[in-house]
Amino acid sequence: MASNRLAQFRVFGKKIVAVGRNYKAHAEELGNKVPEKPIIFTKPTTSYLSQGHPIKFPPGCNDLHHEVELGIVVGKKGYQIPEEKAKEYIGGYFVALDMTARDLQLDAKKNGHPWTLSKGWDTSTPAGEFIEKDKITNPQNLQIWLKVNGEMRQNGNTADMIFSISYLISFISKYMTLEEGDVILTGTPSGVGGLKGGDVIEAGIGDVAKITFSVDKS
Ligand SMILES: CC(=O)CC(=O)C(=O)O
Ligand SMILES: [Mg+2]
């Protein structure tokens, strides 16, 4: 992938595929079952947010949660990709936030409805700059962290994913073609929690990449 600009995700990014409950400790902290197979949902590309712009509360939300995640940028088109070939389809990485309106999500879960609005409003996918694939030698051993107003809230390691990146690429592509510029959000470690207007979020992957976003509840 030639350019390292977020705009590239928008141009090529036909979809954002996200994984839920991919860390045991996170599934348990919200009282959810540890999944036996990946839980997959999608988010619209209009939810992307680049640094310098605030994260907004969606209408009707009073419990906005942060979820830091390792984002994978797909490097080439593939369908039914074997797990052992999956690494060839990784174009690069980025730090992502899968912002979640937890109260809207709980309401949807109670009623058996989809999570789309609780995960997909404009500004719900803050994203850092594209990280070249060769900058990260082992994506399954990265510290992934998030601070709110300087206080550490999430501090996990991608080694603790229930389903590996290669497994996820293979699993998702059994059902849908992955295209260059599509992204996969690989799930959040434990420590998710509520935010208020004026909060400042810093998040990163080890010392490879860092993002900063403010929260606006107007
Ligand atoms: C309960 C969730 O919101 C699942 C999710 O997005 C995750 O990263 O885990
Ligand atoms: Mg998530």
Side-chain angles (χ1 to χ4, degrees), residues 8-149:
Q8 185 115 7
F9 299 7
R10 290 210 185 89
V11 172
F12 292 113
K14 295 163 193 80
K15 55 191 169 293
I16 302 171
V17 185
V19 182
R21 302 178 198 154
N22 198 24
Y23 290 79
K24 185 169 179 281
H26 169 58
E28 289 174 348
E29 73 180 343
L30 293 184
N32 292 313
K33 278 203 318 210
V34 176
E36 282 163 18
K37 57 182 182 182
I39 297 173
I40 305 296
F41 56 97
T42 58
K43 297 176 62 131
T45 52
T46 43
S47 67
Y48 277 132
L49 185 70
S50 53
Q51 290 182 89
H53 305 279
I55 299 165
K56 304 267 192 189
F57 274 61
C61 170
N62 286 303
D63 192 18
L64 176 65
H65 274 206
H66 53 78
E67 295 191 359
V68 64
E69 310 204 1
L70 173 65
I72 309 295
V73 183
V74 174
K76 63 176 182 180
K77 187 171 177 172
Y79 180 60
Q80 300 193 333
I81 301 164
E83 192 177 344
E84 59 280 8
K85 288 197 182 285
K87 284 194 177 70
E88 295 170 21
Y89 290 79
I90 298 176
Y93 306 93
F94 65 108
V95 185
L97 301 180
D98 173 24
M99 299 304 299
T100 303
R102 198 66 73 196
D103 43 4
L104 304 191
Q105 188 192 36
L106 282 176
D107 196 51
K109 277 160 72 177
K110 241 187 311 185
N111 290 296
H113 294 163
W115 296 354
T116 314
L117 294 183
S118 67
K119 295 273 198 182
W121 75 96
D122 283 17
T123 78
S124 65
T125 311
E129 293 296 320
F130 181 76
I131 305 166
E132 297 290 341
K133 182 178 183 175
D134 59 10
K135 291 252 162 62
I136 292 182
T137 40
N138 181 5
Q140 294 293 175
N141 186 17
L142 295 171
Q143 191 205 4
I144 179 162
W145 59 271
L146 179 143
K147 294 179 183 177
V148 178
N149 303 329

